[in-house]
Each structure stands twice: as C-alpha cells, then as structure tokens.
C-alpha cells in the first residue's frame, strides 16, 4: 500500500475541509501460489520515488502528492516479508496507468499479464491524456508481456479469462473496461470465497453500495474525466453492485484507491 494526498479535500474524501489533501491509497495484492508469488498491480516503484517528476510528470506529483517513501513500495514490503524480488514470478496489472505500473521495473524477471487492449493503448500513447496516464519510461526495461483476449468464459455472469499462462486456475481476469481501454479486475479464489481486486472500476466504497450508491463530487468528476468510455464504466459499476447484492457472501470486492477498504483488511 502507498499513500497519496490528493488535492480537493472534502470533494474527494467526503469529509474534512476543502483545503486539506484527501488521503487515498494504492492497494496491491500479493498472492502466494504453487507458481511462486503473484503480484496484482505494482503501485509506484523505487525509480518513481527517486525521480518523481521525470517518471510521473509534474502535474501528477502536484495533484496526487504521492508519499515518496521507498518503504511503501511493493518491493520493499515484499522484502520485509522475507522474500526476494525474484520470488515474484508473475505480475497482473489491472491497467497500466502510472500509479499501477511504476513498480514493474522493480521486478524485471516477472512476466506481466494484462488484456491485449490495454497493452495496445499503452504502448503508443498519442493523445495528451494518454501520455499523462501512460509513462513509457516505466516499462523501458522491456518486461515479458503476456497478453489476453476474452473468449467467452464466464465468472458470476461476468466475462473472464480463466486460464492464464503459468498461473493456477484460481486466478482470473475479469474485464471491467471503461476507465481505460483494457482495464480489468482480478479475481482470486481463496479457500472459502473469492477476492475481486476491481482496480479503478470505482474509487469510493459507496459506489458499489447495493441500495443507495454515492460518491463525493470531486472523486466522481475525476473518474468521469479519466474514463475512456464513461458509459461502459458506469455499466460495470452497476454490475458490481449486482454482484454485491447477489453474492456478498461469496465475493469480497475492493478497489485500488479507497483507504477504508484497505484498512478493513488490517482488522
Ligand atoms: Zn489508479
């Protein structure tokens, strides 16, 4: 987990003053499997911390104000658990936005799994927005990419990619497009239930509340402006609400940036 202090105060976090920075997090998931460690999303990496403006851009550093603490990077946290960076054999990215892909360069030996559309959009960012979100310097080390197309398999009614190369069948891609062209959730079958890392499909826990969904205004605006297909993004949020409504006992959903969802895992 990494911390951010995003501009917009109450409009982003839903409480406090307008002039405070709103606390958001970058929530990664580490899964121990028979195929080695699997990391879902990487957050910011050591090189982002060392050269924030060059790697992330001045605009992002000002607006999101990431905590530039190497101890918060995934690689340092994994080392504190007693593993080495080479134990991470596979990385799955929900998408390649700069706050999800920065740590790729800390695990140069890992294979990186993602949807084909995300790869295509990120490798040749042509518009201003695409160049803001996709920082090609974050994959200059030329990782070993493994790209997927969806082929009609299903998981709780969602399309999914059921068998990923070299990974156990307990881990699936669950495409949730709209935030970016190839944005995907990642489902992990734990002993008794499923975890679904929903990436940036939503930012605020209230958005998937089954009855009265809600989101602070500023955060809703950020998501709308950041979406490549807002209609699809909102449709996916409705499908996630339906998943909560119908399968709350079987699936636990969390997003990449909500600090309270992260804290719930620490209890
Ligand atoms: Zn993000």
């Amino acid at each position: 987990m990494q911390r951010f202090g995003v501009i917009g105060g109450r409009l982003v976090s839903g409480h406090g003053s307008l002039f405070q920075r709103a606390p958001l997090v970058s929530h990664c998931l580490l899964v121990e499997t028979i195929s080695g460690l699997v990391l879902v999303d990487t957050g910011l990496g050591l090189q982002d911390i060392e050269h924030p403006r060059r790697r992330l851009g001045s605009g992002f550093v000002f607006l999101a104000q990431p905590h530039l603490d190497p101890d918060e990077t995934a690689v340092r946290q994994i080392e504190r658990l007693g593993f080495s960076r080479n134990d991470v054999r596979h990385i799955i990215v929900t998408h390649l936005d700069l706050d999800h892909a920065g740590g790729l360069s800390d695990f140069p030996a890992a294979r990186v799994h993602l949807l084909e559309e995300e790869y295509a959009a990120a490798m040749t960012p042509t518009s201003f927005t695409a160049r803001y979100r996709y920082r090609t310097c974050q994959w200059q080390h030329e990782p070993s990419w493994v790209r997927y197309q969806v082929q009609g398999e299903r998981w709780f009614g969602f399309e999914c990619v059921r068998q990923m190369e070299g990974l156990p069948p307990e881990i699936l891609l669950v495409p949730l497009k709209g935030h970016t062209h190839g944005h995907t959730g990642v489902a992990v079958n734990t002993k008794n239930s499923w975890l679904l890392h929903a990436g940036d499909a939503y930012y605020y826990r209230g958005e998937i509340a089954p009855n009265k969904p809600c989101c602070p205004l500023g955060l809703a605006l950020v998501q709308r402006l950041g979406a490549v297909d807002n209609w699809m993004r909102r449709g996916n949020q409705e499908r996630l609400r339906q998943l909560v409504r119908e399968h709350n006992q079987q699936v636990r959903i969390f997003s990449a940036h909500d600090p309270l969802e992260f804290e719930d895992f620490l209890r």
Side-chain angles (χ1 to χ4, degrees):
M1 184 277 287
Q2 279 162 337
R3 290 170 295 160
F4 295 82
V6 178
I7 202 162
R10 189 173 68 227
L11 291 175
V12 171
S13 64
H15 55 81
S17 104
L18 274 181
F19 305 104
Q20 285 173 330
R21 290 278 179 161
L24 295 188
V25 299
S26 205
H27 190 161
C28 307
L29 185 66
L30 184 67
V31 190
E32 229 179 326
T33 75
I34 49 166
S35 315
L37 294 181
V38 179
L39 181 61
V40 180
D41 273 356
T42 69
L44 299 181
L46 290 172
Q47 292 186 49
D48 302 317
I49 305 292
E50 208 171 321
H51 309 286
R53 281 177 179 76
R54 177 161 63 76
R55 288 266 294 195
L56 307 169
S58 300
F60 177 81
V61 172
F62 172 71
L63 293 171
Q65 206 173 76
H67 285 227
L68 299 173
D69 179 355
D71 282 345
E72 289 190 3
T73 59
V75 66
R76 289 283 179 264
Q77 294 192 49
I78 288 167
E79 285 168 354
R80 283 203 296 280
L81 291 172
F83 298 107
S84 101
R85 65 178 69 201
N86 293 328
D87 294 328
V88 177
R89 308 289 295 279
H90 301 272
I91 294 172
I92 305 170
V93 279
T94 59
H95 61 304
L96 284 172
D97 273 358
L98 72 174
D99 53 323
H100 299 253
L104 289 177
S105 47
D106 294 332
F107 305 95
R111 302 181 81 191
V112 181
H113 304 255
L114 76 173
L115 287 184
E116 176 69 46
E117 292 100 317
E118 189 63 14
Y119 176 84
M123 290 306 117
T124 49
T126 46
S127 67
F128 172 80
T129 327
R131 286 198 301 275
Y132 174 87
R133 74 190 321 162
Y134 296 129
R135 308 293 291 184
T136 52
C137 57
Q138 291 180 331
W139 45 85
Q140 237 167 16
H141 60 290
E142 297 185 356
S144 164
W145 303 103
V146 192
R147 292 128 63 183
Y148 299 94
Q149 281 173 344
V150 183
Q151 288 175 337
E153 301 248 32
R154 293 274 161 181
W155 176 82
F156 290 103
F158 287 75
E159 286 189 304
C160 74
V161 173
R162 202 166 269 283
Q163 185 62 66
M164 289 192 277
E165 275 184 44
L167 286 167
E170 288 79 19
I171 304 182
L172 315 177
L173 294 183
V174 181
L176 297 168
K177 297 175 189 174
H179 176 67
T180 62
H181 291 288
H183 182 278
T184 183
V186 180
V188 180
N189 193 355
T190 64
K191 265 191 197 129
N192 306 312
S193 60
W194 289 86
L195 283 177
L196 177 63
H197 189 319
D200 287 4
Y202 69 97
Y203 277 30
Y204 183 74
R205 57 207 167 277
E207 290 179 278
I208 58 161
N211 296 320
K212 283 190 180 165
C214 61
C215 182
L217 192 62
L219 209 49
L221 191 64
V222 166
Q223 293 183 79
R224 191 190 174 105
L225 293 175
V228 297
D229 187 330
N230 199 46
W231 181 82
M232 203 177 248
R233 181 185 70 84
R234 292 180 62 96
N236 278 326
Q237 288 190 348
E238 179 49 40
R239 296 199 307 155
L240 290 173
R241 282 191 285 276
Q242 195 178 342
L243 188 60
V244 175
R245 236 176 258 129
E246 294 172 4
H247 301 285
N248 203 18
Q249 301 300 316
Q250 294 143 284
V251 186
R252 178 175 183 179
I253 309 173
F254 63 95
S255 66
H257 297 306
D258 188 310
L260 291 188
E261 282 182 339
F262 177 77
E263 279 172 26
D264 273 350
F265 277 94
L266 306 179
R267 288 192 187 123

